[in-house]
Amino acid sequence: MSEANGKKATLKLNGKEIELPIYSGTLGPDVIDVKDVLASGHFTFDPGFMATASCESKITYIDGNAGILLHRGYPIDQLATKTDYLETCYLLLNGELPTAEQKKEFDSQVRNHTMVHDQVSRFFNGFRRDAHPMAIMVGVVGALSAFYHNNLDLDDVNHREITAIRLIAKVPTLAAWSYKYTVGQPFIYPRNDLDYAENFLHMMFATPADRDYKVNPILAKAMDRIFTLHADHEQNASTSTVRLAGSTGANPYACISAGIAALWGPAHGGANEAVLKMLDEIGSVENVAPFMEKVKTKEVKLMGFGHRVYKNFDPRAKVMKETCDEVLGALGINDPQLELAMELERIALSDEYFIKRNLYPNVDFYSGIILKAIGIPTSMFTVIFALARTIGWITHWLEMQSTPHKIGRPRQLYTGEKQRNIDR
Ligand code: CMC
């Protein structure tokens, strides 16, 4: 736990003064420790956690005004262009980038855990074929809680570490199967001779009939970069959900399932699917202006725009846009939706409504267009976000489990009925 830095805030309440310690991190705003407010008979009030630091963490740092995102100190654009996803996973888990030897070992550890227990495949049959793949993911990842009984002692560091590896390795298998199930194709088993992104694309698109199916290296590279750009994002809604669930000592697989559920909403990870639906609805460039009017009258939101923390630009969106151009160029795709997206961006960036509210494209604005170019169906977009974010969730879970923590238990401002009696 960080030490108070000697500075104090003073809160005047009912004629009394309460001194509140202030802590400094390595970067970012100081935080005021408000615990002592409780003794005065008050709670603090911050719905939506606009100004609340819910924990201390060493994993990821965001400066929303400067558009900075660092994982263990390294900028996201460098990680996206100079490392692969598994190296970023290693960095998040261990705090340092791997040496060549460590990378080889980590890679092989992940490859050795890509299979799921055969019983797990039976859970899929309980779903309707038209189930949303995210609904399947919430169920089947949660179902992993019923396996691995021998490695679930949360006080045992080895158990915690093997859980992290299992999750990183198995979630792509379950993600690909959630797609295969909905299109009525047989599940394709993982191939450990392929790298992480290739293996995922193989499980998504290979079929028993197409024995020579080869993953296009351009698509595998783009997929890997999309995974890296989504790997972690400090205390966002789904990560906070994982931490809150984990604070009770719940099964880690169940905690990750809770994270997947929180991610699903269109205000969070569900936005990438919503962007493509929005572009489909707008249809063509001439419909952009009337659509923007609807946004300004708050009939609809411009999906893929705005962020709670980024108020200047989302550094992930910048790399995503470059990747989008690279992928479409390499594949020779001239997607009219890209033109549409650029027109939306152009208007939004020059319109007073968006400027005043600091609304910029976020990571989800361009990811959908790349995913579409890779051949990923829209309903799988958020599943891919969940797959990539699993490392972030489990790293935060590990950090919490390895440090003293209390159960997360917020209070409330009660505005319901006062006590009354049943009058009969
Ligand atoms: N389109 C139009 N107006 C918007 C948008 C948007 N996408 N986002 C925010 N606003 C307006 C909002 O109506 C409000 O206006 P006013 O001040 O007149 O009431 C103002 O901007 C502030 O918005 P807010 O809702 O208070 O901001 P927030 O920090 O609570 O919400 C957000 C952040 C991401 C939920 C929101 O911007 C949003 O819903 N965006 C669209 C969904 C989206 O793209 N989500 C992906 C986020 S990035 C990936 C991830 O981390 O999951």
Side-chain angles (χ1 to χ4, degrees):
M1 176 72 196
S2 50
E3 293 294 314
N5 60 13
K7 292 189 234 164
K8 287 199 187 319
T10 307
L11 180 67
K12 286 190 184 161
L13 256 178
N14 304 333
K16 283 196 188 147
E17 288 195 348
I18 308 172
E19 285 213 323
L20 304 172
I22 296 182
Y23 307 128
S24 296
T26 42
L27 290 169
D30 288 352
V31 301
I32 304 168
D33 182 341
V34 293
K35 275 197 297 297
D36 291 346
V37 172
L38 184 62
S40 75
H42 292 78
F43 296 143
T44 55
F45 187 56
D46 181 21
F49 308 117
M50 304 285 287
T52 295
S54 63
C55 64
E56 186 178 325
S57 181
K58 294 180 168 47
I59 304 166
T60 290
Y61 171 74
I62 303 176
D63 180 335
N65 293 325
I68 291 172
L69 168 61
L70 310 177
H71 293 325
R72 303 286 191 183
Y74 294 111
I76 188 63
D77 57 321
Q78 292 182 25
L79 291 169
T81 52
K82 295 183 181 181
T83 74
D84 65 28
Y85 176 68
L86 280 189
E87 282 178 288
T88 296
C89 290
Y90 184 97
L91 170 73
L92 286 165
L93 284 173
N94 299 290
E96 295 297 336
L97 283 165
T99 61
E101 193 58 32
Q102 287 165 333
K103 177 173 159 54
K104 208 169 140 203
E105 200 187 314
F106 184 67
D107 209 76
S108 109
Q109 225 187 345
V110 172
R111 283 173 205 234
N112 277 333
H113 287 278
T114 50
M115 294 276 287
V116 290
H117 191 294
D118 210 43
Q119 287 289 119
V120 174
S121 64
R122 305 204 185 175
F123 283 95
F124 287 82
N125 289 328
F127 290 94
R128 284 170 50 138
R129 290 278 176 184
D130 60 359
H132 193 288
M134 279 298 275
I136 299 180
M137 287 300 281
V138 171
V140 293
V141 175
L144 294 180
S145 307
F147 297 78
Y148 317 114
H149 300 296
N150 296 334
N151 299 103
L152 279 173
D153 177 355
L154 302 189
D155 294 327
D156 185 325
V157 64
N158 296 321
H159 287 199
R160 297 198 300 260
E161 281 172 6
I162 190 65
T163 299
I165 297 290
R166 283 196 167 120
L167 274 157
I168 306 163
K170 292 179 200 311
V171 164
T173 309
L174 297 175
W177 288 7
S178 74
Y179 167 62
K180 287 296 198 193
Y181 183 76
T182 57
V183 289
Q185 289 183 8
F187 296 150
I188 300 295
Y189 284 89
R191 262 185 47 191
N192 291 353
D193 58 318
L194 299 177
D195 75 21
Y196 196 82
E198 285 171 343
N199 181 43
F200 173 66
L201 291 174
H202 164 78
M203 291 188 289
M204 281 285 295
F205 298 120
T207 62
D210 180 9
R211 284 164 194 272
D212 296 329
Y213 173 82
K214 288 242 174 345
V215 177
N216 179 337
I218 299 170
L219 303 189
K221 190 170 166 237
M223 193 76 257
D224 190 84
R225 185 169 291 180
I226 289 177
F227 291 160
T228 305
L229 288 171
H230 287 91
D232 188 42
H233 214 230
E234 57 114 293
Q235 311 308 325
N236 57 82
S238 56
T239 303
S240 297
T241 301
V242 171
R243 279 191 181 255
L244 194 58
S247 76
T248 70
N251 183 298
Y253 299 97
C255 296
I256 300 300
S257 168
I260 296 173
L263 185 78
W264 194 358
H268 192 6
N272 53 13
E273 184 177 340
V275 168
L276 253 266
K277 284 189 180 148
M278 176 186 77
L279 294 176
D280 278 342
E281 262 169 49
I282 298 174
S284 58
V285 171
E286 59 273 16
N287 298 330
V288 169
F291 179 80
M292 287 307 223
E293 283 314 307
K294 284 208 256 174
V295 173
K296 289 196 232 170
T297 53
K298 296 192 194 286
E299 265 176 80
V300 288
K301 269 195 170 169
L302 182 56
M303 299 313 289
F305 263 71
H307 198 275
R308 169 60 63 79
V309 184
Y310 295 121
K311 298 300 174 198
N312 193 336
F313 70 95
D314 178 341
R316 302 167 301 174
K318 213 167 148 225
V319 185
M320 198 64 91
K321 165 85 168 58
E322 284 160 18
T323 310
C324 188
D325 293 340
E326 269 169 43
V327 172
L328 297 185
L331 296 176
I333 295 177
N334 190 6
D335 187 344
Q337 281 193 326
L338 181 63
E339 202 193 323
L340 193 55
M342 284 170 72
E343 178 63 4
L344 277 175
E345 185 184 5
R346 191 190 62 75
I347 296 186
L349 294 183
S350 57
D351 189 299
E352 191 53 29
Y353 179 93
F354 296 91
I355 296 170
K356 218 172 96 194
R357 291 170 178 77
N358 297 315
L359 299 171
Y360 294 87
N362 59 48
V363 68
D364 288 325
F365 192 63
Y366 285 107
S367 64
I369 295 172
I370 316 179
L371 289 170
K372 191 177 153 212
I374 294 177
I376 307 281
T378 315
S379 63
M380 282 296 288
F381 289 3
T382 313
V383 172
I384 283 167
F385 194 155
L387 182 171
R389 184 55 59 81
T390 297
I391 181 61
W393 292 329
I394 200 65
T395 306
H396 282 270
W397 178 85
L398 286 167
E399 182 176 65
M400 189 180 68
Q401 296 300 335
S402 63
T403 45
H405 62 273
K406 285 187 168 296
I407 184 171
R409 177 49 170 101
R411 301 305 303 269
Q412 61 177 5
L413 170 65
Y414 177 69
T415 52
E417 294 290 346
K418 292 184 178 161
Q419 182 168 338
R420 51 184 169 164
N421 296 317
I422 299 173
D423 197 13
R424 64 174 176 207

